[in-house]
Amino acid sequence: MTRVPDPAHGRDLYREMLRIRRFEERCVELYSQTLIRGFLHLYVGEEAVAVGVLATLTGDDNVVATYREHGHALARGIPAGAIMAEMFGKVEGCSGGRGGSMHLFDATARFFGGNAIVGGGLPVAVGLALADRMQDRPAVTACFFGEGAVAEGEFHESLNLAAVWDLPVVFCCENNRYAMGTALERSESDTDLAAKAASYEMPAAVVDGMDVFAVEDAARAAVAAARDGGPQFLELQTYRFRAHSMYDPERYREKSEVDAWRARDPLTLCEQRLRELDAFDDVTRDRFEAEVAAEIDAAIAFAEAGTLEPVADLTRHVYRDTTT
Amino acid sequence: MTRVPDPAHGRDLYREMLRIRRFEERCVELYSQTLIRGFLHLYVGEEAVAVGVLATLTGDDNVVATYREHGHALARGIPAGAIMAEMFGKVEGCSGGRGGSMHLFDATARFFGGNAIVGGGLPVAVGLALADRMQDRPAVTACFFGEGAVAEGEFHESLNLAAVWDLPVVFCCENNRYAMGTALERSESDTDLAAKAASYEMPAAVVDGMDVFAVEDAARAAVAAARDGGPQFLELQTYRFRAHSMYDPERYREKSEVDAWRARDPLTLCEQRLRELDAFDDVTRDRFEAEVAAEIDAAIAFAEAGTLEPVADLTRHVYRDTTT
Amino acid sequence: MTAPGETTYREAMRAAIREALARDPRVFVMGEDVGRYGGCFAVTLGLLEEFGPERIRDTPLSESAFVGAGIGAALGGTRPIVEIMTVNFSLLALDQIMNNAATLQHMSGGQLHVPLVIRMTTGAGRQLAAQHSHSLEGWYAHIPGIKVLTPATIEDARGMLAPALEDPDPVLIFEHGGLYNTTGPLADPPPVVDIAHAAVRRRGGDITLVTYGGTLPTTIAAADALAARGVDAEVIDLRVLRPLDDATVMASVRRTHRLVIVDEGWRSGSISAEISARVMEQAFFDLDAPVGRVCSAEVPMPYARHLEEAALPSVARIVAAAEEAITANG
Amino acid sequence: MTAPGETTYREAMRAAIREALARDPRVFVMGEDVGRYGGCFAVTLGLLEEFGPERIRDTPLSESAFVGAGIGAALGGTRPIVEIMTVNFSLLALDQIMNNAATLQHMSGGQLHVPLVIRMTTGAGRQLAAQHSHSLEGWYAHIPGIKVLTPATIEDARGMLAPALEDPDPVLIFEHGGLYNTTGPLADPPPVVDIAHAAVRRRGGDITLVTYGGTLPTTIAAADALAARGVDAEVIDLRVLRPLDDATVMASVRRTHRLVIVDEGWRSGSISAEISARVMEQAFFDLDAPVGRVCSAEVPMPYARHLEEAALPSVARIVAAAEEAITANG
Ligand SMILES: Cc1ncc(C[n+]2csc(CCOP(=O)(O)OP(=O)(O)O)c2C)c(N)n1
Ligand SMILES: Cc1ncc(C[n+]2csc(CCOP(=O)(O)OP(=O)(O)O)c2C)c(N)n1
Ligand SMILES: [Mg+2]
Ligand SMILES: [Mg+2]
């Protein structure tokens, strides 16, 4: 059990998770309507991770995420409309329609993507942290990746490099137990991921990733430690309730396993906790639902009203445009 | 202190190390005479590692080595003449003159190179072991690499894969403390290399790589364990007495450090041990020196007498020649 | 669902893998999610159940290690079929491919052979954006020591694997993601194909269109469109990008005197450049017009659909290039 | 030792790095053995002592991580000069180069820029055999989003780094290992050079020889040999392989009507193929003979000296190709 949460802040965390949940549920509908295309990886079930970690960052910190990053983008404050417009392929999208669901970016929010190569974001995160240290900025870089990335060489090279140079990276491993259809037991000989971090002398914590308060506590400690010191590792134990992407028949896991994890839905856990503290009631929930629904409706309207980039601009953004 | 070595076997090990030492000393001369070209990486100081490990293998086992592999090739039984001819670029070379010092091969000896990409041999070793297991052969694959390779992603991917599939690989890490000019302390945040192996649940031993008997004991145990089970890790602590290659001014280490290690020359240590057991005397040594000198003279003569491949054959060995 | 007697490209590929597994105990499959998941494009679906986990091996996400392990396993006497989910991730294994698979035979003076098959999906067209839309098969064809196959038809999807496995050299098979669901008839027993020659997919006398892989259907459609305009185009499917079958291309060009190459790769340094250069070298005096190229725009693939479509070779662009070639020396 | 007023290519490169470090506090160097060892080709020798370990950073052997860290550091406002010891090891970092450095600007809709410089040694000629002799700069030039420089002269070794660092896009600099010890005069202050244009290194009217990097000296020697035979060859040094400066090549070909390209890369799918294809497209009717190519043999580089020499472009092969072009339509 974690510390007693502040009621107002606890509700904020709940509301943020709800935004992500409802946003993604609408994405599924829009995908069936072919308004969103390409790959679409949902974060449903894992919301407590992004919300808990990102709550502990400042605006000067950096975020690096994966292709499963709607939640991180929303929690980082990228407007829902800009994200939705991106998935609609519109100029008003947060990546100008060039990136799509897997490549959400926002330079102002220091949100460095949306990387669709497993493990590919980790070296970049190390470099962002290096730049901060070399320029005496007190920022931290939060780098998210799945447990599947732990088998990739880039994971190890990056952890080691960050540790050798003592850089302020918080490596946030979202252990949802599967990399597509491959269970962690079949991808790692030792499933104790903190042991990998330990082999780089990197402090590590194993966290209940379904409990947003636990995540926030662990992240706050890790972020503080990184800010004044070197890299930190968080294993955030979570579960993806939905398919890997839109095309996954889920042959690799039992429905009972999914159900067991659904019983620990991060939204439900958070709500229960807040109700125990008399900090949450049906009125609050209904209000949140209404606000969130309105926000998402507006986001979709914004995306629909958005414009398509002229085809004549096809080869822009390959090299910096020096003509304008 | 290791078990009491068998005198005759102990002398064999000494003699094998002497062969390597004298062979390489002659290589340096031949390099100055430009009879050998390209890169030339000497094993001087590290002979106990290859000799100790390879003494424990059978002819059906596989060996994968690096660009610093003259010692391994000699200890594996590739004729000195074939190795020398290779470095002379002659058809009679063990790689037909195509490979040179960094790429010694011998399919019959199951010596799979001579890999000049740091870390590049490890995945291949895993595959050789996989093939043995799938075909029910009781062979083991010994894979040599430097401690510098531990920072490469391929090291981690390979250890994990071998461990996940429980394959008979003995990973032999030749920790000579430097990767070119980079000391282990500056390339690994945690210099305890066995801890990396442990993070894959792989049994590991740290071995005095200057003591050929210690190496042999540790290798015998590891090879037996791998043959009946899964991968093993040996950290063989050693030192390279000479430069990284022929072009290294050695700015990165103190002469005093080199001298301290030279005091533990594996040949001297072995000789001392055998003398303590009354198993070695000046006569033996002089005889070995004479035999080895004769062998190397013959090898050089063989290499000199070798032939150059016709230039018309330049593009052979790219695809299997189906015309003959 | 496919009509009776019809099959899909995906099923054809699966049938080829199944046959190889059944026929030769040395053959096995490894890669990410080839087993329990059924393959990221469902090519290997059902094979785990049929052949078991020893021969259908799910790997961790470690492209370099499992491709390298494929090389080692090939050296060790097996016949691995390594699946890299998509060409985009193969960059992580490129060191193993170029520095080991392609060179071991040579570095060992011909002692070693690497009878390895690596399959991967390639290509764009499904709004997967910049990191998931590469068409690098032509780029891979730069590397001596490997062979590069691009099955574009159901018969080739069914037939190319067997000779690839028999080949003593490492063979890369690129399967365009847009082809998996194409359907068509397949004879029983399926026809035997080689992995040495280009194929003329449509005869014609006015102009030659050379292509391969994912753009074959587009190019045939363009030939049909040209036919409607009175231009009789010959369509050559390269099938094998390395070693290139020059002879088939030159023979056609010597008849038609005009050539357009259609290639989903980025234009600069593409395989289409190589073909143009070879025609320059071998058939310059037969040309009535400069060789044209229709390639992908030189841009990381954009997500937005209209931009992706504009970036890729299309019937309209092929027809325009063909007409330019026809009127060039007008 | 160099004569007074002379410098080596290596020293010129070092002077450029030193100047960049002194001028801009955002600039730093990282790579394997750039510090204490002094650089594997001694380019960075002495810089650690002068600028300290914060700015001259030895990295572990982790090509993917430190190239990716260079990308991140560039995003973070610094100006990293990343040294990959040789192009041969850059394959391990190719995912970072192609999927991140080259695409981040595009994927972010133009929000991000990656002002990163990656330097690496390239080329063969020193009997380093198959894994240490690649010439892949032309191959890298296939990738949209990066720029590819090949300084071949002392002035370019001295001058190209500054504009590369000023460039908002990722720039790869390939330094041919055979050039480091070449000596020559260098004006003080050194001339300012651009990274946009090819350079005519020798004027001539009978035939154009196009080359870049390590084969520039060979090509100039071939031009001298041709002059002795009464053939007046123009020599163009491409300098930049991406984006290619077509205009300089076409202008020359329109005057000489004949072209031979000299390229140390493997022939198939080389940058020389691209140039040939572009000449086909842009100057076909100006050609009096097919464009010729002198490339490396399509073989992993053999160790044996005579075989390596035979595999590489040589004066004799260039002269022969030029003479063939001259007599082609004879
Ligand atoms: C290098 C690489 N290999 C394979 C893929 C295909 N792929 C996309 S997501 C994924 C699973 C990743 O699992 P994990 O890292 O656990 O993240 P999760 O999807 O569970 O969030 C795979 C294999 C990829 N994108 N990149
Ligand atoms: C991937 C790669 N990076 C860099 C090099 C250049 N290089 C050759 S040997 C070497 C040092 C390797 O050190 P270590 O692994 O400790 O082996 P040692 O030379 O000490 O035996 C380096 C950096 C290489 N060959 N391969
Ligand atoms: Mg996962
Ligand atoms: Mg070492």
Coordinates of all heavy atoms in Angstrom, one line a residue, chain B residues 39 41-43 46 66-68 102 115-120 145-150 152 154 173-182 187 240 244, chain C residues 95 99, chain D residues 32-33 40 61-63 66 84-86 88-90 92 131-132, ligand 2:
Chain B
F39 N 46.1 -6.2 -40.8 CA 46.2 -6.0 -39.3 C 46.8 -7.3 -38.8 O 46.6 -8.4 -39.3 CB 44.8 -5.8 -38.7 CG 44.3 -4.4 -38.9 CD1 42.9 -4.2 -38.9 CD2 45.1 -3.3 -39.0 CE1 42.4 -2.9 -39.1 CE2 44.6 -2.0 -39.1 CZ 43.3 -1.8 -39.2
H41 N 47.1 -8.9 -35.0 CA 46.9 -8.8 -33.5 C 47.5 -10.0 -32.8 O 47.2 -11.1 -33.0 CB 45.4 -8.8 -33.3 CG 44.6 -7.8 -34.0 ND1 44.1 -8.0 -35.3 CD2 44.2 -6.5 -33.7 CE1 43.4 -7.0 -35.7 NE2 43.5 -6.0 -34.8
L42 N 48.4 -9.7 -31.9 CA 49.2 -10.7 -31.2 C 48.5 -11.1 -29.9 O 47.8 -10.4 -29.2 CB 50.6 -10.2 -30.9 CG 51.4 -9.8 -32.1 CD1 52.8 -9.4 -31.7 CD2 51.4 -10.9 -33.2
Y43 N 48.7 -12.4 -29.6 CA 48.1 -13.0 -28.4 C 49.1 -13.2 -27.3 O 48.8 -13.8 -26.3 CB 47.6 -14.4 -28.9 CG 46.6 -15.1 -28.0 CD1 45.4 -14.4 -27.7 CD2 46.7 -16.4 -27.6 CE1 44.4 -15.0 -27.0 CE2 45.7 -17.0 -26.9 CZ 44.6 -16.3 -26.6 OH 43.6 -17.0 -25.8
E46 N 48.6 -14.1 -23.5 CA 47.2 -14.7 -23.3 C 47.2 -16.1 -23.7 O 46.1 -16.7 -23.7 CB 46.2 -13.9 -24.2 CG 46.3 -12.4 -24.0 CD 45.1 -11.6 -24.7 OE1 44.0 -12.1 -24.7 OE2 45.4 -10.5 -25.2
T66 N 38.2 -14.7 -32.6 CA 38.2 -13.3 -33.1 C 39.4 -13.1 -34.0 O 40.0 -14.1 -34.4 CB 38.3 -12.3 -31.9 OG1 39.6 -12.4 -31.4 CG2 37.3 -12.6 -30.8
Y67 N 39.7 -11.9 -34.4 CA 40.8 -11.5 -35.1 C 42.1 -11.7 -34.4 O 43.2 -11.6 -35.0 CB 40.7 -10.0 -35.4 CG 40.3 -9.2 -34.2 CD1 41.3 -8.8 -33.3 CD2 39.0 -9.1 -33.8 CE1 41.0 -8.3 -32.1 CE2 38.7 -8.5 -32.6 CZ 39.7 -8.1 -31.7 OH 39.3 -7.6 -30.5
R68 N 42.1 -12.0 -33.1 CA 43.3 -12.3 -32.3 C 43.4 -13.8 -32.1 O 43.4 -14.3 -31.0 CB 43.2 -11.5 -31.0 CG 44.5 -11.4 -30.2 CD 44.3 -10.7 -28.9 NE 43.8 -9.3 -28.9 CZ 44.5 -8.3 -29.4 NH1 45.8 -8.5 -29.8 NH2 44.0 -7.1 -29.5
M102 N 43.4 -12.2 -39.7 CA 42.1 -12.1 -39.0 C 41.1 -13.1 -39.3 O 40.1 -13.2 -38.6 CB 41.5 -10.7 -39.2 CG 42.4 -9.5 -38.8 SD 41.6 -8.0 -38.6 CE 41.1 -7.5 -40.3
N115 N 36.8 -13.9 -36.6 CA 35.8 -12.9 -37.0 C 36.4 -11.6 -36.5 O 36.8 -11.4 -35.4 CB 34.5 -13.2 -36.3 CG 33.3 -12.5 -36.9 OD1 33.4 -11.3 -37.1 ND2 32.3 -13.2 -37.4
A116 N 36.3 -10.6 -37.4 CA 37.0 -9.3 -37.1 C 36.0 -8.2 -36.7 O 36.4 -7.1 -36.6 CB 37.8 -8.8 -38.3
I117 N 34.7 -8.6 -36.6 CA 33.7 -7.6 -36.1 C 33.6 -8.0 -34.6 O 33.2 -9.1 -34.3 CB 32.4 -7.7 -36.8 CG1 32.6 -7.6 -38.3 CG2 31.4 -6.7 -36.3 CD1 33.1 -6.2 -38.8
V118 N 33.8 -7.0 -33.7 CA 33.7 -7.3 -32.3 C 32.3 -7.7 -32.0 O 31.4 -7.0 -32.2 CB 34.2 -6.1 -31.5 CG1 33.9 -6.3 -30.0 CG2 35.6 -5.8 -31.7
G119 N 32.2 -8.9 -31.4 CA 30.9 -9.4 -31.1 C 30.2 -10.2 -32.2 O 29.3 -11.0 -31.9
G120 N 30.8 -10.2 -33.4 CA 30.1 -10.8 -34.5 C 30.1 -12.3 -34.5 O 29.3 -12.9 -35.2
F145 N 35.9 -14.3 -27.2 CA 35.7 -12.9 -27.5 C 36.4 -12.1 -26.4 O 36.6 -12.6 -25.3 CB 34.3 -12.5 -27.6 CG 33.5 -12.9 -26.5 CD1 33.3 -12.1 -25.4 CD2 32.9 -14.2 -26.3 CE1 32.5 -12.5 -24.3 CE2 32.2 -14.6 -25.2 CZ 32.0 -13.7 -24.2
G146 N 36.7 -10.8 -26.7 CA 37.3 -10.0 -25.7 C 36.3 -9.3 -24.8 O 35.1 -9.3 -25.1
E147 N 36.8 -8.8 -23.7 CA 35.9 -8.1 -22.8 C 35.2 -6.9 -23.4 O 34.2 -6.4 -23.0 CB 36.6 -7.8 -21.4 CG 37.3 -6.4 -21.4 CD 38.4 -6.3 -22.4 OE1 39.0 -7.3 -22.8 OE2 38.7 -5.1 -22.7
G148 N 35.9 -6.3 -24.4 CA 35.3 -5.2 -25.1 C 33.9 -5.5 -25.7 O 33.1 -4.7 -25.8
A149 N 33.8 -6.8 -26.1 CA 32.5 -7.2 -26.8 C 31.3 -7.2 -25.8 O 30.2 -7.2 -26.3 CB 32.7 -8.6 -27.4
V150 N 31.6 -7.2 -24.6 CA 30.5 -7.2 -23.6 C 29.6 -6.0 -23.7 O 28.4 -6.0 -23.4 CB 31.1 -7.4 -22.2 CG1 30.0 -7.3 -21.1 CG2 31.8 -8.7 -22.1
E152 N 28.8 -4.6 -26.5 CA 28.0 -4.7 -27.8 C 26.7 -5.4 -27.6 O 26.6 -6.4 -26.9 CB 28.8 -5.5 -28.9 CG 30.1 -4.8 -29.4 CD 29.8 -3.7 -30.4 OE1 28.7 -3.4 -30.7 OE2 30.8 -3.2 -30.9
E154 N 25.2 -7.4 -29.5 CA 25.2 -8.8 -29.9 C 25.6 -9.8 -28.8 O 25.2 -10.9 -28.8 CB 26.1 -9.0 -31.1 CG 25.5 -8.5 -32.4 CD 26.4 -8.8 -33.6 OE1 27.6 -8.8 -33.5 OE2 25.8 -9.1 -34.7
C173 N 35.2 -15.4 -22.3 CA 35.5 -13.9 -22.4 C 36.9 -13.7 -22.0 O 37.3 -14.0 -20.8 CB 34.6 -13.2 -21.5 SG 34.9 -11.4 -21.5
E174 N 37.7 -13.3 -23.0 CA 39.2 -13.1 -22.7 C 39.3 -11.6 -22.2 O 39.4 -10.7 -23.0 CB 39.9 -13.3 -24.0 CG 39.7 -14.6 -24.6 CD 40.5 -14.9 -25.9 OE1 40.5 -14.1 -26.8 OE2 41.2 -15.9 -25.9
N175 N 39.3 -11.5 -20.9 CA 39.3 -10.2 -20.3 C 40.8 -9.8 -20.1 O 41.4 -10.1 -19.1 CB 38.6 -10.2 -19.0 CG 38.6 -8.8 -18.3 OD1 39.2 -7.9 -18.9 ND2 38.1 -8.7 -17.1
N176 N 41.3 -9.1 -21.2 CA 42.7 -8.6 -21.1 C 42.7 -7.1 -20.7 O 43.6 -6.4 -20.9 CB 43.4 -8.9 -22.4 CG 42.8 -8.1 -23.5 OD1 41.9 -7.3 -23.4 ND2 43.2 -8.4 -24.7
R177 N 41.5 -6.7 -20.1 CA 41.4 -5.3 -19.5 C 41.3 -4.2 -20.5 O 41.0 -3.1 -20.0 CB 42.5 -5.1 -18.5 CG 42.4 -6.1 -17.4 CD 43.5 -6.2 -16.5 NE 43.0 -6.9 -15.3 CZ 42.8 -6.4 -14.1 NH1 43.1 -5.2 -13.9 NH2 42.4 -7.2 -13.2
Y178 N 41.6 -4.4 -21.7 CA 41.6 -3.2 -22.7 C 40.9 -3.7 -23.9 O 41.1 -4.8 -24.4 CB 43.0 -2.7 -23.0 CG 43.6 -2.0 -21.8 CD1 44.4 -2.8 -21.0 CD2 43.4 -0.7 -21.6 CE1 45.0 -2.1 -19.9 CE2 44.0 -0.1 -20.5 CZ 44.8 -0.8 -19.6 OH 45.4 -0.2 -18.5
A179 N 40.1 -2.8 -24.5 CA 39.6 -2.9 -25.9 C 40.4 -1.8 -26.6 O 40.1 -0.6 -26.4 CB 38.1 -2.7 -25.9
M180 N 41.3 -2.2 -27.4 CA 42.3 -1.2 -27.9 C 42.7 -0.3 -26.8 O 43.4 -0.9 -25.9 CB 41.6 -0.4 -29.1 CG 41.5 -1.2 -30.3 SD 41.0 -0.3 -31.8 CE 42.3 0.9 -32.0
G181 N 42.4 1.0 -26.7 CA 42.9 1.8 -25.6 C 41.9 2.0 -24.5 O 42.1 2.8 -23.6
T182 N 40.8 1.3 -24.6 CA 39.7 1.6 -23.6 C 39.7 0.5 -22.5 O 39.4 -0.6 -22.7 CB 38.3 1.6 -24.3 OG1 38.4 2.7 -25.3 CG2 37.2 2.0 -23.4
S187 N 34.5 1.2 -20.1 CA 33.5 0.7 -21.0 C 32.4 0.0 -20.4 O 31.3 -0.2 -21.0 CB 34.2 -0.2 -22.1 OG 34.5 -1.5 -21.5
R240 N 47.3 -8.5 -22.4 CA 48.1 -8.6 -23.6 C 49.3 -7.8 -23.4 O 49.3 -6.7 -23.0 CB 47.2 -8.1 -24.8 CG 47.4 -6.8 -25.4 CD 46.5 -6.5 -26.6 NE 45.6 -5.4 -26.4 CZ 46.0 -4.2 -26.2 NH1 47.3 -3.9 -26.1 NH2 45.1 -3.2 -26.0
H244 N 47.9 -3.4 -29.2 CA 46.7 -4.0 -29.7 C 46.9 -4.6 -31.1 O 46.5 -5.7 -31.4 CB 45.6 -2.9 -29.8 CG 44.4 -3.3 -30.6 ND1 43.5 -4.2 -30.1 CD2 44.1 -3.0 -31.9 CE1 42.6 -4.4 -31.1 NE2 42.9 -3.7 -32.1
Chain C
D95 N 24.8 -6.3 -40.0 CA 26.2 -6.8 -39.8 C 26.3 -8.3 -40.0 O 27.2 -8.7 -40.7 CB 26.6 -6.4 -38.4 CG 28.0 -7.0 -38.1 OD1 28.9 -6.7 -38.8 OD2 28.0 -7.8 -37.1
N99 N 28.5 -9.0 -43.1 CA 29.9 -9.4 -42.7 C 30.1 -10.8 -42.4 O 31.2 -11.3 -42.3 CB 30.3 -8.5 -41.5 CG 30.7 -7.1 -41.8 OD1 31.4 -6.9 -42.9 ND2 30.4 -6.2 -41.0
Chain D
E32 N 34.6 5.4 -30.3 CA 35.5 4.4 -29.7 C 37.0 4.9 -29.8 O 37.4 5.2 -30.9 CB 35.3 3.1 -30.4 CG 34.0 2.5 -30.1 CD 33.6 1.4 -31.1 OE1 34.4 1.0 -31.9 OE2 32.4 0.9 -31.0
D33 N 37.6 5.0 -28.7 CA 39.0 5.3 -28.7 C 39.4 6.7 -29.3 O 40.5 6.9 -29.7 CB 39.8 4.2 -29.3 CG 39.9 3.0 -28.4 OD1 40.2 3.1 -27.2 OD2 39.7 1.9 -28.9
C40 N 41.6 5.7 -33.8 CA 42.2 4.5 -34.4 C 43.0 4.9 -35.6 O 43.9 4.2 -35.9 CB 41.1 3.5 -34.7 SG 39.9 4.0 -35.9
L61 N 32.3 -0.1 -26.8 CA 32.0 -0.7 -28.1 C 30.5 -0.9 -28.2 O 30.0 -2.0 -27.9 CB 32.7 -2.0 -28.3 CG 34.1 -1.9 -28.9 CD1 35.1 -1.4 -27.9 CD2 34.6 -3.2 -29.5
S62 N 29.8 0.1 -28.7 CA 28.3 0.1 -28.7 C 27.9 1.0 -29.9 O 27.3 2.1 -29.6 CB 27.7 0.6 -27.4 OG 28.3 0.0 -26.3
E63 N 28.1 0.6 -31.1 CA 27.9 1.5 -32.2 C 26.5 2.0 -32.3 O 26.2 3.2 -32.6 CB 28.3 0.8 -33.5 CG 29.8 0.7 -33.8 CD 30.5 -0.4 -33.0 OE1 29.8 -1.2 -32.3 OE2 31.7 -0.5 -33.2
F66 N 25.9 4.6 -29.3 CA 26.5 5.9 -29.3 C 26.1 6.7 -30.5 O 26.1 8.0 -30.5 CB 28.0 5.9 -29.0 CG 28.9 5.3 -30.0 CD1 29.2 6.0 -31.2 CD2 29.5 4.1 -29.8 CE1 30.1 5.5 -32.1 CE2 30.4 3.5 -30.7 CZ 30.7 4.2 -31.9
I84 N 32.6 6.8 -36.0 CA 32.6 5.4 -36.1 C 33.9 5.0 -36.7 O 34.3 5.5 -37.7 CB 31.4 4.9 -37.0 CG1 30.1 5.4 -36.5 CG2 31.4 3.4 -37.0 CD1 28.9 5.0 -37.3
M85 N 34.6 4.1 -36.0 CA 36.0 3.8 -36.4 C 36.1 3.6 -37.9 O 36.9 4.2 -38.6 CB 36.5 2.6 -35.7 CG 36.9 2.8 -34.3 SD 37.7 1.3 -33.6 CE 38.4 2.0 -32.1
T86 N 35.3 2.7 -38.4 CA 35.3 2.5 -39.9 C 33.8 2.1 -40.3 O 33.0 1.7 -39.5 CB 36.2 1.3 -40.3 OG1 35.5 0.0 -40.0 CG2 37.5 1.4 -39.6
N88 N 32.8 -0.3 -41.8 CA 32.5 -1.7 -41.6 C 31.6 -1.9 -40.3 O 30.8 -2.8 -40.3 CB 33.8 -2.5 -41.5 CG 34.7 -2.1 -42.6 OD1 34.4 -2.5 -43.8 ND2 35.7 -1.3 -42.3
F89 N 31.8 -1.1 -39.3 CA 31.1 -1.2 -38.0 C 29.8 -0.4 -38.0 O 29.0 -0.6 -37.2 CB 32.0 -0.9 -36.9 CG 33.4 -1.3 -37.0 CD1 34.5 -0.5 -36.6 CD2 33.7 -2.6 -37.6 CE1 35.8 -1.0 -36.8 CE2 35.0 -3.0 -37.7 CZ 36.1 -2.2 -37.4
S90 N 29.7 0.5 -39.0 CA 28.5 1.3 -39.1 C 27.3 0.5 -39.3 O 26.2 1.0 -39.1 CB 28.7 2.4 -40.1 OG 28.6 1.8 -41.4
L92 N 26.2 -1.8 -37.7 CA 25.6 -2.1 -36.4 C 24.8 -0.9 -36.0 O 24.0 -1.0 -35.0 CB 26.7 -2.3 -35.3 CG 27.4 -3.7 -35.5 CD1 28.7 -3.7 -34.7 CD2 26.5 -4.8 -35.1
Q131 N 36.0 -8.2 -44.0 CA 35.1 -7.5 -43.1 C 35.6 -6.0 -42.8 O 35.0 -5.3 -42.0 CB 35.1 -8.3 -41.8 CG 34.3 -9.6 -41.9 CD 34.2 -10.3 -40.6 OE1 35.1 -10.2 -39.7 NE2 33.2 -11.2 -40.5
H132 N 36.8 -5.7 -43.3 CA 37.4 -4.4 -42.9 C 37.7 -3.5 -44.2 O 38.6 -2.7 -44.1 CB 38.7 -4.6 -42.1 CG 38.4 -4.7 -40.7 ND1 37.7 -5.7 -40.1 CD2 38.8 -3.9 -39.6 CE1 37.7 -5.5 -38.8 NE2 38.4 -4.5 -38.5
Ligands
LIG2 C1 32.0 -3.7 -34.1 C2 33.4 -3.3 -34.1 N1 33.8 -2.1 -33.6 C3 35.0 -1.8 -33.5 C4 36.0 -2.6 -34.0 C5 37.5 -2.1 -34.0 N2 38.2 -2.9 -33.0 C6 38.9 -4.0 -33.4 S1 39.5 -4.8 -32.0 C7 38.9 -3.7 -31.0 C8 39.0 -3.9 -29.5 C9 38.3 -5.1 -29.0 O1 38.6 -5.3 -27.7 P1 38.3 -6.7 -27.0 O2 36.9 -7.1 -27.3 O3 38.5 -6.5 -25.5 O4 39.3 -7.7 -27.6 P2 40.9 -7.7 -27.5 O5 41.3 -6.9 -28.8 O6 41.3 -7.0 -26.3 O7 41.3 -9.1 -27.6 C10 38.2 -2.7 -31.6 C11 37.5 -1.6 -31.0 C12 35.6 -3.8 -34.6 N3 36.5 -4.6 -35.1 N4 34.3 -4.2 -34.6

